[in-house]
């Protein structure tokens, strides 16, 4: 998402001042992205979902956690568009507010894990030697545990709240970013401009973050979009198992949990179908966008 | 041979560190495991338990306890469940077999369907089928096991009634293979969706890449029949890299199986883990984490060794 908005800004700036318009790499990327029909579809869908969730307090019609036992287990109707759950809470309202929680958890966990991954990856790639060996062996070992397994174990005794959830998803989710960044830094640090900056007396941190990292941003952007997806799915999965976002706060994952009872699954379709579809559409859109970004930013990438 | 031995030996230090992580993770958890047994009504007081702590060495320094645990684990003794005193290793072994059956079936389905569709779409790039399947594959990779599982259960079991809604066998019926397969189709099928989509994408990409290789142009220049170029040169070389992906997906498969087993009440390791974590049944939690790590490392090992057999270049770094 951020990739897109920055390219738009670049686009406007370059045209306003009339400088080397066709040669801006960001603009070229935006041109390629625009011609990617799936990426555009994704962008439109995710915009709709974001607008709906951001506007949740304006269009929710009922407070998301308001109990109304008289209205429980109602089918979708004019007064409750998506029906109500077993304690009479409005599903439409919970879907919108749940989306806020799911998206906030997903985006913040992805950002934190990306920051950790960038730091470890940059250090490993730049310094090489034992630093690299240590960090990479460490990532190998953490990766032998499926994330859900290790997070489930730790989450039970850390206590169940949204902050812990974000923390755990990011603490066990930075490894693939670290690998990606390491690979990029490894090849860029040998380039002549890096040697030039070094000969000018720049320190290691300046070289890494001012001169090398800007060149890693392109592949990183696509990786971040996929990280957001993974985090959203992890939140949903953990909440589905009852170890994620605690009730009564709605999230797409804990709304979906109701479908674990065969009764609700069979006779209360309206209770679990909206969060399931919203998760699916969100993840699908982000995958479309990520794919479009990867193609747009890496011209060598085929098809 | 040299490569194989080195590749196998490297797992020993990794496994050692894995055991340290598992032990620390569970033992640094706040709360005394013995508190679990405090039950004033049954006359079990804190004093009795302090005595027990002495007896079982729970007050030893953490590294002493670690090596005691490691020693027992190496002899196949994983302890007893807090919940009901069952032998952890025994229960785990039985559950693991069922999980491996589920994972194996899902992997097989995923690889066969994915690779077939990937070859087809790769060979027919820009065709309508390619466009449809590629778009559909996005839906596949966006469909986590728990959503696929719920949809599968709702449509194929509740609505259509084609398959049972859970379990491994029909209670009260003789144990037949057919009955088992009937119960396996839905969990394995829904677990396989993401893999089929993923493998299709890898396979298609791999075909497209090989199609542009110099040796394909050489083969065409030599005047080989297109059919031979396609099957003997393109497809054969393009399948190889996909083999490596199988090993990488195993951690995901384990995680996916956890959801699938919970949804379909498949009595495997995943549903056991969810129960054990909820009940803070630490010996079982540690056992399952250990087995999971061994399964993942083993899958990576097998993948690497197979790959080095079929592609000798990999042996020389």
């Amino acid at each position: 998402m951020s990739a897109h908005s920055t390219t738009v800004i670049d686009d406007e700036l370059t045209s306003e001042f009339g400088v080397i318009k066709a040669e801006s790499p960001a603009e070229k990327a935006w041109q390629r992205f625009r011609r990617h029909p799936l990426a555009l579809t994704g962008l439109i869908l995710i915009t709709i979902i974001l607008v709906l969730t951001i506007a949740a307090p304006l269009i929710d019609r009922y407070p998301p956690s308001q109990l109304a036992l008289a209205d429980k287990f109602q089918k979708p109707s004019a007064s409750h568009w998506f029906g109500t759950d077993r304690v009479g809470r409005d599903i439409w309202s919970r879907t919108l507010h749940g989306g806020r929680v799911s998206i906030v958890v997903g985006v913040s966990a992805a950002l934190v894990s990306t920051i950790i991954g960038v730091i470890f990856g940059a250090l490993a790639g730049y310094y090489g030697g034992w630093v690299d060996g240590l960090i990479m062996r460490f990532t190998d070992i953490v990766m032998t545990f499926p994330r859900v397994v290790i997070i489930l174990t730790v989450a039970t005794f850390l206590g169940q709240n949204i902050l812990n959830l974000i923390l755990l998803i990011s603490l066990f989710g930075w490894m693939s970013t670290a690998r990606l960044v390491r690979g990029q830094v490894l090849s860029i640090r040998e380039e002549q401009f890096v040697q030039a900056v070094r000969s000018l007396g720049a320190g290691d941190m300046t070289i890494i973050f001012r001169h090398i990292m800007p060149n890693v941003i392109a592949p990183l952007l696509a990786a971040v979009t996929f990280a957001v997806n993974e985090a959203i799915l992890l939140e949903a999965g953990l909440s589905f198992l009852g170890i994620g976002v605690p009730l009564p706060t709605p999230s797409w994952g804990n709304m979906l949990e109701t479908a674990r009872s065969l009764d609700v699954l069979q006779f209360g379709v309206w209770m679990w179908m909206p969060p399931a579809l919203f998760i699916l559409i969100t993840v699908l859109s982000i995958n479309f966008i990520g794919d479009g970004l990867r193609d747009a930013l890496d011209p060598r990438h085929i098809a | 041979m040299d490569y194989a031995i080195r590749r196998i030996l490297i797992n020993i230090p990794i496994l050692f560190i894995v055991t340290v992580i598992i032990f620390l993770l569970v033992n640094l958890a706040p709360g005394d495991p013995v508190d679990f047994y405090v039950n004033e009504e049954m006359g079990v007081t804190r004093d009795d338990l302090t005595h027990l702590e002495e007896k079982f060495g729970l007050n030893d320094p953490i590294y002493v306890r670690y090596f005691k645990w490691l020693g027992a684990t190496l002899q196949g003794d994983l302890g007893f469940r807090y919940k009901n005193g069952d032998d952890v290793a025994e229960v785990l072994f039985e559950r693991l077999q069922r999980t491996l059956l589920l994972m194996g079936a899902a992997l097989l389905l995923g690889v066969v369907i994915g690779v077939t569709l990937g070859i087809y779409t790769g060979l027919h790039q820009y065709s309508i089928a390619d466009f449809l399947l590629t778009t559909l594959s996005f839906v596949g990779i966006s469909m986590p096991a728990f959503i696929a599982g719920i949809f599968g259960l709702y449509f194929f079991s509740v609505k259509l009634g084609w398959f049972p809604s859970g379990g491994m066998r029909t209670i009260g019926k003789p144990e037949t293979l057919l009955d088992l397969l009937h119960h396996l189709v839905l969990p394995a099928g829904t677990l396989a969706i993401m893999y089929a989509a993923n493998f299709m994408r890898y396979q298609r990409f791999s075909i497209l890449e090989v199609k542009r290789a110099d040796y394909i142009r050489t083969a065409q220049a030599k005047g080989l029949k297109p059919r031979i170029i396609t099957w003997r040169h393109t497809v054969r070389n393009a399948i190889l890299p996909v083999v490596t992906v199988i090993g990488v997906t195993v951690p995901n498969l384990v995680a996916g199986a956890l959801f699938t087993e919970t949804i379909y009440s498949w009595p495997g390791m995943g549903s056991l883990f969810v129960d054990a974590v909820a009940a803070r049944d630490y010996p079982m939690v540690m056992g399952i984490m250990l087995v999971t790590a061994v399964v993942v490392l083993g899958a990576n090992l097998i993948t690497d060794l197979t790959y080095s057999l079929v592609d000798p270049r990999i042996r020389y770094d």
Side-chain angles (χ1 to χ4, degrees):
Chain A
M1 285 310 294
S2 57
H4 166 245
S5 50
T6 47
T7 46
V8 171
I9 291 167
D10 285 354
D11 195 32
E12 285 166 0
L13 278 180
T14 43
S15 48
E16 199 180 308
F17 297 111
V19 258
I20 43 169
K21 196 186 168 202
E23 269 153 77
S24 146
E27 200 181 25
K28 271 186 187 164
W30 169 236
Q31 295 293 340
R32 279 194 294 267
F33 187 85
R34 225 170 48 178
R35 269 185 243 118
H36 200 293
L38 292 182
L40 270 190
T41 315
L43 202 58
I44 294 167
L45 287 175
I46 203 77
T47 310
I48 295 175
I49 288 180
L50 282 178
V51 169
L52 282 178
T53 50
I54 290 171
L58 305 174
I59 51 177
D60 59 4
R61 293 158 52 93
Y62 297 90
S65 303
Q66 177 182 283
L67 305 182
L69 288 171
D71 291 338
K72 68 179 180 189
F73 217 79
Q74 280 192 1
K75 283 186 181 168
S77 63
S79 54
H80 293 282
W81 293 344
F82 283 12
T84 61
D85 68 8
R86 285 205 274 204
V87 285
R89 291 176 297 208
D90 183 63
I91 301 285
W92 164 249
S93 168
R94 286 184 78 74
T95 307
L96 299 181
H97 285 273
R100 292 184 141 202
V101 176
S102 294
I103 292 171
V104 165
V105 170
V107 171
S108 35
L111 286 183
V112 176
S113 71
T114 303
I115 292 170
I116 303 176
V118 163
I119 292 174
F120 276 128
L123 292 179
Y126 185 76
Y127 287 108
W130 66 268
V131 179
D132 183 31
L134 192 71
I135 294 177
M136 285 301 116
R137 290 299 79 73
F138 185 62
T139 58
D140 285 349
I141 289 166
V142 181
M143 280 174 111
T144 55
F145 297 105
R147 262 161 106 187
V148 177
V149 170
I150 204 159
I151 293 179
L152 266 179
T153 313
V154 184
T156 44
F157 56 73
L158 257 195
Q160 221 179 314
N161 62 52
I162 293 181
L163 199 66
N164 280 348
L165 193 63
I166 295 174
L167 212 68
L168 284 177
I169 295 178
S170 35
L171 279 185
F172 295 109
W174 50 270
M175 290 86 68
S176 53
T177 311
R179 283 189 169 176
L180 173 86
V181 172
R182 170 186 176 267
Q184 297 283 328
V185 172
L186 210 57
S187 63
I188 295 173
R189 78 165 177 195
E190 302 301 331
E191 301 223 359
Q192 281 186 343
F193 76 89
V194 176
Q195 287 170 16
V197 184
R198 192 177 295 130
S199 68
L200 287 173
D204 284 349
M205 289 304 125
T206 316
I207 297 178
I208 294 177
F209 291 103
R210 287 273 300 277
H211 298 279
I212 295 184
M213 285 321 292
N215 294 287
V216 184
I217 296 243
L220 199 57
L221 275 179
V224 172
T225 57
F226 295 125
V228 171
N229 258 353
E230 271 185 46
I232 288 181
L233 287 180
L234 216 47
E235 180 279 316
L238 290 166
S239 302
F240 176 74
L241 294 175
I243 305 189
V245 176
L247 290 167
T249 309
S251 86
W252 288 339
N254 67 25
M255 291 179 72
L256 205 56
E257 196 208 345
T258 54
R260 278 176 69 184
S261 119
L262 264 180
D263 228 28
V264 173
L265 183 80
Q266 189 168 1
F267 302 111
V269 186
W270 64 87
M271 284 168 55
W272 54 267
M273 196 58 102
L277 289 180
F278 269 79
I279 294 175
L280 201 59
I281 294 171
T282 306
V283 174
L284 187 64
S285 315
I286 296 179
N287 271 331
F288 281 156
I289 294 170
D291 200 62
L293 273 180
R294 200 168 46 189
D295 287 357
L297 298 169
D298 179 11
R300 286 161 302 173
H301 187 84
I302 44 168
Chain B
M1 243 1 250
D2 230 27
Y3 170 80
I5 292 170
R6 255 191 310 146
R7 185 64 187 75
I8 293 170
L9 288 183
I10 201 168
N11 282 298
I12 295 174
I14 292 182
L15 260 180
F16 178 72
I17 299 172
V18 162
T19 59
V20 174
I21 294 177
I22 293 175
F23 188 82
L24 287 181
L25 217 53
V26 171
N27 280 273
L28 293 182
D32 197 324
V34 175
D35 285 341
F36 194 79
Y37 294 103
V38 176
N39 191 333
E40 303 281 354
E41 279 175 26
M42 289 175 67
V44 184
T45 61
R46 195 79 190 88
D47 284 344
D48 298 333
L49 295 171
T50 316
H51 172 69
L52 276 180
E53 280 179 348
E54 294 282 330
K55 189 176 158 198
F56 288 114
L58 287 174
N59 294 328
D60 290 342
I62 194 159
Y63 61 90
V64 174
R65 280 187 286 145
Y66 168 72
F67 281 109
K68 276 187 187 164
W69 172 74
L70 185 67
T73 301
L74 285 177
Q75 294 168 40
D77 174 14
L78 293 173
F80 300 94
R81 299 189 68 176
Y82 287 169
K83 191 176 155 192
N84 50 18
D86 283 351
D87 187 272
V88 169
E90 219 170 85
V91 178
L92 204 48
F93 183 68
E94 196 191 8
R95 295 291 192 120
L96 175 66
Q97 289 175 314
R98 298 168 181 164
T99 295
L100 288 179
L101 174 68
L102 174 64
M103 282 170 42
L107 199 57
L108 189 73
L109 270 175
V111 171
V112 170
I113 296 173
V115 167
T116 313
L117 294 180
I119 291 175
Y120 182 81
T121 50
L123 292 176
H124 301 86
Q125 197 186 6
Y126 303 129
S127 67
I128 295 177
D130 175 36
F131 174 75
L132 285 180
L133 284 169
T134 310
T135 311
L136 209 61
S137 77
F138 272 103
V139 180
I141 61 167
S142 309
M143 181 106 81
F146 52 92
I147 292 188
I150 290 178
F151 281 164
L153 187 62
Y154 180 70
F155 289 111
F156 294 105
S157 178
V158 172
K159 282 275 144 183
L160 296 168
W162 290 353
F163 302 103
S165 64
M168 254 180 87
R169 304 188 183 288
T170 314
I171 298 161
K173 262 193 180 176
E175 294 186 6
T176 58
L177 184 66
L178 206 67
D179 188 44
L180 178 66
L181 286 178
H182 194 214
H183 282 80
L184 183 62
V185 173
L186 260 190
T190 48
L191 185 54
I193 290 179
M194 199 182 240
Y195 297 93
N198 250 321
F199 281 116
M200 186 200 124
R201 290 163 60 83
Y202 279 117
Q203 184 63 65
R204 175 174 178 276
F205 185 79
S206 177
I207 293 260
L208 293 182
E209 211 156 51
V210 171
K211 266 191 354 193
R212 304 196 308 183
D214 288 339
Y215 58 80
I216 297 298
R217 197 178 314 144
T218 311
Q220 284 165 342
K222 276 199 305 189
L224 287 182
K225 283 184 191 141
R227 197 162 49 90
I228 291 187
I229 297 177
T230 302
W231 291 105
R232 204 173 288 169
H233 296 252
T234 313
V235 174
R236 257 177 93 168
N237 283 300
I239 283 184
L240 274 185
V242 179
V243 173
T244 51
V245 185
I246 298 177
V248 182
T249 55
V250 166
N252 276 321
L253 198 59
V254 174
L258 196 139
F259 292 106
T260 311
E261 287 182 7
T262 310
I263 292 169
Y264 291 100
S265 29
W266 185 264
M269 206 172 65
S271 49
L272 179 65
F273 183 68
V274 176
D275 292 344
V277 162
R280 305 211 175 188
D281 191 348
Y282 290 137
M284 187 49 97
V285 171
M286 289 165 87
I288 295 178
M289 289 186 82
L290 190 64
V291 170
T292 307
V294 172
V295 168
V296 171
L297 288 172
N300 283 332
L301 178 67
I302 294 172
T303 316
D304 282 4
L305 291 184
T306 322
Y307 198 60
S308 77
L309 270 182
V310 286
D311 187 351
R313 282 173 302 183
I314 193 86
R315 279 174 249 179
Y316 309 100
D317 291 319

